[in-house]
Amino acid sequence: FLSLVAEFCCGFFVILILGNFWFLAVLYLLWLYLDWGTPCAGGRRSHWVRSWTVWKYFREYFPIHLIKTSDLNPNHNYLLGFHPHGVLVAGAFGNFCTDPPFKNLFPGLTPYLHIMPIWFGCPFFREYIMSAGMVSASKESVSYVLNNEGGGHASVIVIGGAEESLNAHPGSLTLNILKRKGFIKMALKHGAHLVPVFSFGENELFKQVANPKGSWLRNVQEKLQKIMGFALPLFHARGVFQYSFGLIPYRQPIHTVVGSPIPVKQNLNPTTEEIDQLHALYLQKLRKLFEEHKSNYGIPEHKSLIFE
């Protein structure tokens, strides 16, 4: 979805350059140069954009639900680890980039969804995603959000990243997380409380072409992901007027469950051992969150999370 909108914005920019409005393109490039650092400095959210009526229909289409399990004190800053990535990351967008789901359940907290920096290089598209509350996933950007002295900020990071989207098959419970410890270090350096978030139904929105590890397709996808920075899952779902084939996601309910916070004491120079200990605790809390809620959302009792 983001790719399609980005392509449209880039195409519009090319039309400006090639048409009689090249001077507008030049002015925008000047603006882009002057505004380049904004995605790493909290972005530029717009309540008007986040409240568009279309987002209400977007959330109701699946539908998307946000479930609160514990209060989050707005006097603290938080780092929310979102799992799994899925193909669309619909739960993350619907709950953290549109109003009012999050602010109604967690008053006093402002969520920032961190996405790959490459998206902010796309003309016009960058303005739209910043308006929705998205910011760069760079260390600089995460530090800016979590460095708010008064608290009240929540960094939302899709921990598995683009690589995890290649595992987004219906029924899949595999998370790319064992080697991902950068978010743990950031939480320690800023004293941000960690909150595991699991989005049930995220992997059920599309069917993906079989790409088991070691297959030629998976090898190509992983190489392209390393080169371009984002993955290219080959997926399909339903069409507008038929259900057999298309790119519109299936209408499958998404329940994004926000877990209890893990208190984190600020440590400006955490050791590898300290990072590993907190990472292990986070995995434990994430697994517990999943096990406590899986029966509510159609996950068989014998199924559990797989950490890679």
Side-chain angles (χ1 to χ4, degrees):
F1 175 74
L2 284 177
S3 298
L4 291 175
V5 178
E7 288 175 9
F8 173 81
C9 290
C10 288
F12 179 69
F13 184 70
V14 170
I15 292 173
L16 287 180
I17 294 176
L18 299 179
N20 295 324
F21 303 98
W22 59 267
F23 62 94
L24 292 178
V26 172
L27 288 175
Y28 183 79
L29 286 175
L30 176 60
W31 162 256
L32 193 62
Y33 173 77
L34 296 173
D35 194 58
W36 190 255
T38 302
C40 294
R44 188 169 44 248
R45 70 178 55 228
S46 166
H47 174 69
W48 176 67
V49 172
R50 290 172 59 90
S51 300
W52 281 350
T53 303
V54 67
W55 304 137
K56 175 178 179 289
Y57 294 117
F58 173 81
R59 294 191 301 267
E60 292 177 350
Y61 171 80
F62 298 96
I64 295 174
H65 304 280
L66 186 65
I67 292 88
K68 172 182 176 179
T69 63
S70 175
D71 289 332
L72 298 182
N73 189 333
N75 293 323
H76 298 296
N77 292 317
Y78 298 88
L79 195 159
L80 279 62
F82 184 92
H83 313 270
H85 185 287
V87 171
L88 189 62
V89 205
F93 179 82
N95 288 311
F96 303 117
C97 294
T98 70
D99 289 333
F102 188 84
K103 73 176 186 179
N104 281 355
L105 289 180
F106 302 99
L109 280 182
T110 302
Y112 296 82
L113 179 60
H114 295 270
I115 64 175
M116 291 185 297
I118 189 174
W119 294 115
F120 296 97
C122 180
F124 301 115
F125 180 67
R126 69 188 296 274
E127 319 303 334
Y128 157 67
I129 56 179
M130 279 196 289
S131 296
M134 294 182 231
V135 293
S136 172
S138 67
K139 293 180 181 179
E140 177 187 359
S141 177
V142 177
S143 291
Y144 184 93
V145 173
L146 297 181
N147 204 33
N148 189 39
E149 293 184 2
H153 282 188
S155 279
V156 183
I157 302 178
V158 184
I159 305 300
E163 182 182 354
E164 193 173 84
S165 67
L166 300 178
N167 290 328
H169 296 271
S172 174
L173 296 173
T174 300
L175 303 180
N176 290 52
I177 192 172
L178 291 182
K179 296 181 180 179
R180 296 178 181 265
K181 302 179 182 180
F183 74 104
I184 298 292
K185 186 175 182 179
M186 293 300 291
L188 281 166
K189 291 183 70 173
H190 295 280
H193 295 350
L194 282 167
V195 182
V197 178
F198 195 87
S199 195
F200 292 89
E202 200 74 44
N203 285 338
E204 273 59 55
L205 305 186
F206 296 93
K207 292 180 180 178
Q208 191 173 167
V209 175
N211 59 343
K213 284 186 176 294
S215 65
W216 70 269
L217 176 57
R218 186 60 168 260
N219 291 336
V220 170
Q221 288 175 320
E222 290 176 346
K223 288 180 180 178
L224 289 175
Q225 189 264 325
K226 290 179 180 178
I227 294 172
M228 299 184 298
F230 56 89
L232 292 173
L234 298 180
F235 60 89
H236 65 88
R238 53 163 291 185
V240 178
F241 301 110
Q242 44 78 27
Y243 293 85
S244 57
F245 189 81
L247 296 179
I248 297 176
Y250 293 115
R251 297 192 69 177
Q252 296 289 339
I254 297 172
H255 295 87
T256 302
V257 184
V258 181
S260 301
I262 303 170
V264 177
K265 185 177 180 180
Q266 187 174 25
N267 184 345
L268 295 178
N269 295 293
T271 64
T272 301
E273 182 180 359
E274 289 170 331
I275 293 173
D276 288 344
Q277 287 178 349
L278 185 54
H279 186 261
L281 177 60
Y282 179 85
L283 294 183
Q284 177 186 332
K285 295 295 185 180
L286 174 60
R287 188 181 294 279
K288 180 182 178 183
L289 177 71
F290 174 81
E291 292 295 332
E292 288 178 347
H293 293 273
K294 67 180 183 181
S295 60
N296 296 332
Y297 307 116
I299 307 294
E301 185 62 32
H302 68 278
K303 284 205 160 190
S304 296
L305 294 179
I306 300 172
F307 296 145
E308 288 188 342

